[in-house]
């Protein structure tokens, strides 16, 4: 008997988290032309770099269907990926802008938009098997950039480690099994507008990821 392949992407109408399903339905009633579903990971299935975000923004990936596409956080993320050679093309905040990720995939710890951008611990746990499967089905994966604390904790848990296995904070690193985890402050509007995260600080994370990948 063959073991079924791990499922890395939930269906767009994933029924597992009642609160998130209700939020999707509410958004779909108000904005029927939006994507309003579990946003799939985006990028290269042979990637050596995985970028793990928090969850789709209501007017970002929940609207467009592509992670970080259409909300504030996407401008800095995609621009930085282009500048550091992990993306090619022009980011234009639309899933059909032709932007291509190079040796890189972007996913989210939670795949459906949560109210107020805050998933509940139970929703993180329910969605985690998809994150675990995402990691397991990237055969070349070497480096994982976690964006913010929800991502950091969930990636560690998806790898069977406690949250204490890597310190929080910008630039912290840990080797976990075959991977190096590299944590960054999230590129949210709050962090960039307050100067907690500058474009240079963010770029340095991906320059470091490049070095780690080539080691
Ligand atoms: N959009 C995403 O897809 N993920 C985030 O973490 C933030 C915005």
């Amino acid at each position: 008997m063959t073991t079924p392949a791990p499922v890395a992407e939930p269906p767009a109408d994933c029924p597992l988290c009642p609160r998130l399903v209700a939020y999707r339905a509410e958004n779909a009633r108000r904005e029927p032309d939006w994507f309003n579903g579990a946003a799939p990971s985006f990028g290269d299935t042979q990637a050596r770099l995985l970028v793990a975000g928090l969850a789709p923004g209501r007017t970002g990936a929940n609207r467009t269907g592509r992670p970080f596409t259409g909300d504030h956080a996407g401008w800095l993320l995609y621009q930085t990926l282009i500048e550091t050679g992990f993306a090619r093309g022009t980011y234009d905040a639309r899933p059909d802008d032709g932007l291509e990720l190079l040796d890189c995939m972007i996913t989210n710890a939670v795949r459906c938009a949560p109210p107020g951008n805050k998933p509940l611990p139970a929703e993180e746990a329910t969605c985690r098997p998809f994150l675990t499967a995402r990691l397991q089905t990237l055969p070349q994966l070497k480096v994982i950039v976690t964006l913010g604390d929800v991502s950091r904790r969930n990636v560690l848990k998806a790898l069977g480690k406690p949250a204490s296995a890597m310190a929080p904070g910008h630039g912290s690193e840990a080797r976990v099994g075959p991977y190096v985890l590299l944590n960054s402050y999230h590129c949210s509007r709050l962090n960039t507008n307050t100067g907690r995260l500058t474009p240079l600080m963010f770029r340095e994370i991906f320059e470091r990821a490049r070095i780690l990948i080539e080691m």
Side-chain angles (χ1 to χ4, degrees), residues 38-50:
S41 310
F42 166 51
D44 182 354
T45 54
Q46 298 302 310
R48 289 180 296 169
L49 173 66
L50 180 68

Side-chain angles (χ1 to χ4, degrees), residues 53-57 61 66-69 71 73 108 186:
L54 160 58
R66 193 177 76 180
F68 287 91
T69 299
D71 52 22
N108 278 306
H186 194 285

Side-chain angles (χ1 to χ4, degrees), residues 26-41:
E26 185 190 322
N27 283 317
R29 261 192 311 276
R30 281 202 226 150
E31 301 288 352
D33 295 335
W34 288 7
F35 177 73
N36 296 311
S41 310

Side-chain angles (χ1 to χ4, degrees), residues 39-40 52-58 60-62 66-74 77-78 106-111 117 147 151 186-188:
L54 160 58
R58 192 182 87 89
N62 175 68
R66 193 177 76 180
F68 287 91
T69 299
D71 52 22
H72 178 86
L77 176 60
Y78 284 113
I106 304 177
T107 194
N108 278 306
V110 173
R111 307 297 179 83
N117 289 327
L147 297 180
S151 169
H186 194 285
C187 47
S188 65

Side-chain angles (χ1 to χ4, degrees), residues 183-196:
N183 189 51
S184 169
Y185 291 148
H186 194 285
C187 47
S188 65
R189 186 190 295 273
L190 180 67
N191 284 342
T192 54
N193 281 359
T194 56
R196 186 170 194 247

Side-chain angles (χ1 to χ4, degrees), residues 3-133:
T3 317
V7 178
E9 303 300 328
D13 62 349
C14 180
L16 296 179
C17 300
R19 190 182 74 121
L20 302 187
V21 172
Y23 191 52
R24 270 190 348 231
E26 185 190 322
N27 283 317
R29 261 192 311 276
R30 281 202 226 150
E31 301 288 352
D33 295 335
W34 288 7
F35 177 73
N36 296 311
S41 310
F42 166 51
D44 182 354
T45 54
Q46 298 302 310
R48 289 180 296 169
L49 173 66
L50 180 68
V51 180
L54 160 58
R58 192 182 87 89
T59 59
N62 175 68
R63 176 171 61 86
T64 63
R66 193 177 76 180
F68 287 91
T69 299
D71 52 22
H72 178 86
W75 289 102
L76 181 58
L77 176 60
Y78 284 113
Q79 190 53 40
T80 306
L81 291 176
I82 291 169
E83 284 171 10
T84 52
F86 288 112
R88 175 167 57 202
T90 304
Y91 171 68
D92 195 24
R94 294 178 289 112
D96 60 355
D97 57 15
L99 187 91
E100 192 189 349
L101 296 188
L102 305 172
D103 209 3
C104 176
M105 180 177 271
I106 304 177
T107 194
N108 278 306
V110 173
R111 307 297 179 83
C112 292
N117 289 327
K118 286 195 173 43
L120 300 174
E123 292 160 352
E124 293 174 25
T126 300
C127 210
R128 201 171 303 128
F130 298 113
L131 181 58
T132 304

